[in-house]
Amino acid sequence: MDLKIKLEQLHQKVIGLKDQIGTEEATKNAFVMPFIQILGYDIFNPTEVVPEHVCDIGTKKGEKVDYVIRNNEEPIFIIECKHWKETADAHNSQLHRYYHVSKTRFGVLTNGIVYNFYTDLEKPNIMDEKPFFTINIEDLKDSSIKILEKFTKKDYNLESILDSAEALKYIKAIRKEFEKEIENPSDEMVKLLVGRFFEKPLTANRMVSFKEYAKKALATSINESISFRLKSALNINEQIEKKEEEVKTSQPIDSNNDSKIVTTEEELEGFQIVKAILREKIPSSRIAYRDTLSYFGILLDDNNRKPLCRLHFNTNNKYLETFHNGKEAGEKILLNTLDEIYNYRNQLHQTLENYN
């Protein structure tokens, strides 16, 4: 199964269970061990996933790290766990000490939701203060999943990870500094920008004014860039939808594609559930569906440009796709039962509001 799908399933498990998880040990069992298993390591093989591994530090004996992950009998990374309500912050953490004696190149600190990956880019065999890579189960990004793939058992490659670790670390640091400058431009940034076109001395009063100008200029530039990209994306999408509509209207009713579409009882049942939720806000006559080869679409006013949600029931795993963040930002949610659709009432109602 695709790594992304497995992580999304773990996310749903985290959502469903975390309020019942009261201890660090329960966090490890419910969240962290499944994560390790998703990476392809055998959690039932104590030579591959070593729990409570002894990491004696100097005169301190019996110090233990939660997990050591081994590949081809070599330790490749260690994991220290916290309760899910705690932050996955390595400051004053035992992970620094364990890393020094563990003979691994990577240390992971996690609360079962956020996983921070560390290495020793600054000084050999001394774990860096800041992670070079972070993945959040509750905010999965394709770029993060692609990096995580390098830590899976089948794709693990030390050199490949180290090659990208430095770039990841410093790109992240530069981005943070840039965001700080946008929020509150420093004197150095203002002098750098203003010095290219303003030849007079920068007095204290001038500096105050130019700081405000710089803040507005940077924010405006970024907002306009985002707006331009969104408009471009919307235009492209509208052109695609228009072409699809033209193709659909030009095809005979008994076309080959239509003959392959089978509307299942589950899809119709899911439609009725969505309809019941949306009838709290609008008449049922405004809620329509169109079945396709790849998904079952539920639309407002039978308009392809106003998707309310989509049911992806054509595979072993069933997903509800919602559009509460906009029709260009569909979010797929794994469903264990059709009744779970009721859990996403707010998202469906928000989608309606987006079209008002």
Side-chain angles (χ1 to χ4, degrees), residues 196-308:
R196 296 181 178 180
F197 61 84
F198 188 77
E199 297 179 355
K200 297 179 182 179
L202 272 179
T203 63
N205 288 337
R206 283 284 190 184
M207 177 60 76
V208 172
S209 297
F210 274 119
K211 271 194 172 185
E212 191 61 31
Y213 301 156
K215 183 176 179 178
K216 290 180 180 179
L218 290 170
T220 301
S221 177
I222 290 170
N223 289 338
E224 288 181 353
S225 176
I226 292 172
S227 177
F228 175 77
R229 292 187 181 186
L230 283 175
K231 286 179 181 178
S232 297
L234 287 171
N235 287 336
I236 291 170
N237 189 66
E238 287 178 0
Q239 291 171 12
I240 292 172
E241 287 182 346
K242 187 176 180 181
K243 287 180 180 179
E244 288 177 347
E245 194 68 28
E246 289 173 353
V247 169
K248 183 174 180 179
T249 55
S250 66
Q251 287 179 336
I253 293 176
D254 60 349
S255 65
N256 289 334
N257 279 346
D258 285 349
S259 65
K260 293 178 183 178
I261 296 173
V262 178
T263 301
T264 66
E265 289 296 324
E266 280 190 318
E267 288 172 332
L268 291 174
E269 185 180 347
F271 172 64
Q272 293 302 327
I273 293 173
V274 172
K275 194 173 182 179
I277 292 170
L278 294 175
R279 282 185 64 189
E280 298 172 9
K281 300 287 185 179
I282 58 174
S284 61
S285 59
R286 297 189 64 191
I287 307 166
Y289 74 79
R290 294 187 194 179
D291 202 357
T292 72
L293 286 174
S294 55
Y295 61 82
F296 182 94
I298 301 177
L299 309 170
L300 179 64
D301 300 327
D302 201 18
N303 188 336
N304 260 340
R305 298 184 183 181
K306 296 182 178 180
L308 295 167

Side-chain angles (χ1 to χ4, degrees), residues 13-252:
K13 182 177 182 181
V14 168
I15 292 174
L17 289 179
K18 67 180 183 180
D19 289 338
Q20 304 170 49
I21 303 298
T23 65
E24 180 182 299
E25 194 64 29
T27 299
K28 289 193 285 187
N29 292 335
F31 301 157
V32 181
M33 290 183 70
F35 180 82
I36 296 171
Q37 195 168 32
I38 285 172
L39 296 183
Y41 301 99
D42 186 354
I43 60 175
F44 301 108
N45 182 349
T47 65
E48 188 166 287
V49 178
V50 188
E52 296 294 314
H53 182 71
V54 175
C55 286
D56 290 337
I57 304 168
T59 58
K60 294 188 70 174
K61 303 297 180 182
E63 292 283 298
K64 296 178 180 179
V65 65
D66 289 318
Y67 300 102
V68 172
I69 310 302
R70 299 167 64 91
N71 196 1
N72 296 324
E73 300 184 357
E74 291 293 326
I76 54 176
F77 59 92
I78 60 175
I79 303 177
E80 183 188 354
C81 307
K82 293 186 176 185
H83 184 260
W84 70 267
K85 288 185 178 180
E86 297 183 51
T87 59
D89 189 347
H91 289 294
N92 301 318
S93 166
Q94 292 175 309
L95 187 64
H96 283 284
R97 303 197 300 276
Y98 296 153
Y99 183 89
H100 180 67
V101 298
S102 66
K103 298 180 181 179
T104 63
R105 291 301 304 272
F106 305 105
V108 181
L109 183 63
T110 182
N111 59 7
I113 298 174
V114 176
Y115 290 78
N116 283 322
F117 287 72
Y118 298 82
T119 189
D120 55 354
L121 294 174
E122 303 294 338
K123 297 179 182 178
N125 205 32
I126 297 176
M127 195 180 86
D128 298 337
E129 287 292 327
K130 295 181 180 180
F132 70 89
F133 167 58
T134 297
I135 188 165
N136 186 339
I137 298 299
E138 295 186 327
D139 185 22
L140 291 169
K141 295 181 173 61
D142 289 343
S143 57
S144 296
I145 294 172
K146 188 173 182 180
I147 296 167
L148 185 65
E149 285 178 349
K150 297 182 179 182
F151 286 91
T152 60
K153 183 178 179 179
K154 68 181 183 69
D155 291 329
Y156 179 80
N157 184 294
L158 175 62
E159 296 305 320
S160 175
I161 297 173
L162 289 177
D163 285 345
S164 59
E166 183 176 33
L168 288 168
K169 179 182 177 71
Y170 292 117
I171 288 172
K172 183 178 179 181
I174 292 169
R175 180 178 173 180
K176 282 188 175 181
E177 291 302 318
F178 181 65
E179 289 170 353
K180 289 179 186 177
E181 293 290 351
I182 295 172
E183 183 65 26
N184 186 23
S186 64
D187 291 355
E188 292 80 7
M189 172 63 80
V190 173
K191 289 176 182 177
L192 175 65
L193 296 174
V194 174
R196 296 181 178 180
F197 61 84
F198 188 77
E199 297 179 355
K200 297 179 182 179
L202 272 179
T203 63
N205 288 337
R206 283 284 190 184
M207 177 60 76
V208 172
S209 297
F210 274 119
K211 271 194 172 185
E212 191 61 31
Y213 301 156
K215 183 176 179 178
K216 290 180 180 179
L218 290 170
T220 301
S221 177
I222 290 170
N223 289 338
E224 288 181 353
S225 176
I226 292 172
S227 177
F228 175 77
R229 292 187 181 186
L230 283 175
K231 286 179 181 178
S232 297
L234 287 171
N235 287 336
I236 291 170
N237 189 66
E238 287 178 0
Q239 291 171 12
I240 292 172
E241 287 182 346
K242 187 176 180 181
K243 287 180 180 179
E244 288 177 347
E245 194 68 28
E246 289 173 353
V247 169
K248 183 174 180 179
T249 55
S250 66
Q251 287 179 336

